[in-house]
Amino acid sequence: MAARDAPENPYIAARQEWNERYGSYVRSAIAWRIIGTTAMAISIIGFGYGLYQSSKVKLVPYIVEVDKLGAAVSAGFPEQIDYADQRVVRASLAGFFASFRSVTPDAVVQKQYIDRTYALLRNADPATGKVNAWFRDNSPFERARRATVAIEVNNVVALSDQTYQVDWTEFERDRAGKETGVRRFRGIATVTLTAPQDEAVIRLNPIGLYLRDLDWTAQL
């Protein structure tokens, strides 16, 4: 009887009391710490993904093809356009040669011509070296001091899937506007198509047409 009435161990009693009073607080604190850490990890992952998405190009160009009178002929997003459409390629090539060979006294417009020319060229291709050599020996800014050159593209013919023949006429005038010469040229261009990704490229070369090689001669 005396053994059953013996008092409990005071240390065990104190531990039980502590568990009952404070153990739940400790468990709650641990749980909230885990929740907070998880929320912070999710926030960091979400913020990083947001930065990644913001760095990607979201611009989707919408291309409209027009005829000589400015009326719309066809339109659509690039993925909807058939890049093998000869009309699109011929129009881009005609624009390239017009920009490449035109000479104007307006320096701002001339720079735009040069930008449009190089928008269809890539550094590693032979065509770029040939165009660079031409501009080094025939600066359009220097030539514009004494003359202007207007370009009329007469014909663009596909010789194969990747090679085109371009015929154009150059009308040279002095600074007084008097015509001083008319010359005809023929160019042979080998092209390739690469879908553009950069916004600056899309603005000047929306279909991703690049000249890999290029040769041209004057016609008698």
Side-chain angles (χ1 to χ4, degrees):
M1 185 70 176
R4 288 198 302 268
D5 294 335
E8 297 180 354
N9 188 313
Y11 298 104
I12 295 176
R15 185 172 63 182
Q16 292 176 345
E17 182 70 19
W18 188 91
N19 288 337
E20 292 177 357
R21 292 190 179 185
Y22 303 106
S24 61
Y25 297 115
V26 173
R27 288 192 295 272
S28 297
I30 293 174
W32 281 111
R33 190 177 299 116
I34 293 174
I35 293 172
T37 303
T38 304
M40 182 177 295
I42 294 173
S43 299
I44 293 174
I45 294 172
F47 181 73
Y49 183 74
L51 286 179
Y52 169 73
Q53 288 294 328
S54 65
S55 65
K56 298 178 65 177
V57 176
K58 298 297 183 181
L59 177 66
V60 178
Y62 188 81
I63 301 173
V64 179
E65 182 183 0
V66 298
D67 58 19
K68 293 182 178 179
L69 299 178
V73 176
S74 62
F77 295 102
E79 60 269 20
Q80 298 172 332
I81 293 177
D82 181 6
Y83 285 128
D85 189 331
Q86 295 297 308
R87 296 175 302 170
V88 178
V89 176
R90 288 198 301 267
S92 297
L93 282 173
F96 170 84
F97 282 97
S99 298
F100 173 37
R101 302 288 293 190
S102 291
V103 176
T104 174
D106 190 324
V108 175
V109 175
Q110 186 65 62
K111 184 180 182 302
Q112 292 175 353
Y113 286 154
I114 295 174
D115 290 342
R116 292 172 188 168
T117 299
Y118 280 100
L120 274 70
L121 298 172
R122 300 178 299 187
N123 292 334
D125 292 332
T128 304
K130 295 176 182 180
V131 171
N132 288 341
W134 167 260
F135 280 136
R136 280 196 300 267
D137 298 335
N138 302 271
S139 170
F141 298 102
E142 293 294 331
R143 190 175 182 184
R145 295 179 180 179
R146 63 181 186 277
T148 63
V149 178
I151 306 300
E152 179 182 333
V153 177
N154 307 115
N155 200 18
V156 181
V157 179
L159 302 180
S160 70
D161 292 340
Q162 296 182 329
T163 302
Y164 292 80
Q165 174 184 302
V166 183
D167 297 315
W168 72 91
T169 304
E170 298 186 359
F171 300 91
E172 183 174 344
R173 295 178 174 85
D174 60 22
R175 292 304 300 271
K178 181 181 178 181
E179 189 174 281
T180 57
V182 178
R183 301 181 67 190
R184 291 177 174 81
F185 289 83
R186 172 167 293 173
I188 303 296
T190 302
V191 304
T192 186
L193 286 161
T194 302
Q197 300 296 327
D198 184 78
E199 180 180 348
V201 175
I202 290 174
R203 291 177 179 177
L204 295 175
N205 187 4
I207 69 170
L209 178 72
Y210 294 97
L211 280 75
R212 291 189 299 174
D213 205 353
L214 170 66
D215 290 292
W216 66 95
T217 57
Q219 301 294 294
L220 299 178

